[in-house]
Structures are given as structure tokens and as C-alpha cells.
Amino acid sequence: MVVRRAGVGRATFYLHYEDLTALAVDACADVVHAAVDALHAWQGVPGTLPPARPPAALAEFLSDAAARGPLYRALLLPGGGGPLGDRLHRELRARARAEREAVGAPRPDLVASAVAATFTGVLADWLHGDVPGSDPVELANRLWPLLMALHRAG
């Protein structure tokens, strides 16, 4: 049905995608970029205190994710696994690592992995109802200090 509605042949579809899940993850690539940008909307200098409040972009991202919950829950499994979780983790880790290296922050690999795993896992668990509270602003306010603590611990 997908190839018919898109007006392409099956062979063309399989040249670009392994299966429907791969297509769905690619279609959700914007959510990955939005998450990465939301977490990096505030650019601090290592050794300085981060703002007490998360950037507004983080709550906006979480609101959007909640609105598209059924789709994201299908691709982002509890704990942060699944095809969308894998991609989100990979891109978050790469961005955090590059930013830490650019400013000479210590342990870029360790901190980048910890931040990416924490954010991806909490997002997935929240979307699946395993993290209490449904308000995106509240979650952003609770998640932000945790992520900043990981950056400081590095």
C-alpha cells in the first residue's frame, strides 16, 4: 500500500529502505534533529554554571513528542531501544562529543554516552508511561538538572 500511494515500485522502495520500519525512522528524522537541537539550545562554557531552567526548546520538543506518542512509542522502546532510540542515541552522542571536544572539556566520549543514554532512556520511558507525570514542562525541569550533572561529572 505504501508504494502504491507513493507512486513508486516495490523495487524502488527496497533500493532506499530495508523495510517499513526503516522508512518510518527516516520519516521521523526530524524528531531526532529536534531533540538534539533542543538539548543543545543553551551553549555553556565548561566550568560555568548552567542556567537553572532548561531551554524552552526542550519543553517544546517534549510537547511535540507527546502529541505524536503512538508513533514514537512504536519506534522508541522502553529503556530507549528500538530503531528510533538507536538513531537518537547515536546522534545525541555524536553532537555532545563534538561540542565537548571543541571546547576542550574532559572525557568527551564518556559524558556524551552518558547524556545520550540518559535522555533517550528517560524520553522513551516517559512516552511509555514509566516516568511519572505527563506534563512536558515538568519533565524538562526535572531532566535538565540531571543532564547538567552528567556534564559536570565529566
Side-chain angles (χ1 to χ4, degrees), residues 32-57:
V32 171
H33 300 299
V36 172
D37 289 343
L39 285 176
H40 295 89
W42 173 77
Q43 297 299 312
V45 176
T48 63
L49 293 175
R53 310 286 291 168

Side-chain angles (χ1 to χ4, degrees), residues 62-82:
L62 293 170
S63 293
D64 186 59
R68 294 186 170 102
L71 173 61
Y72 295 162
R73 281 190 295 275
L75 299 171
L76 183 61
L77 303 176

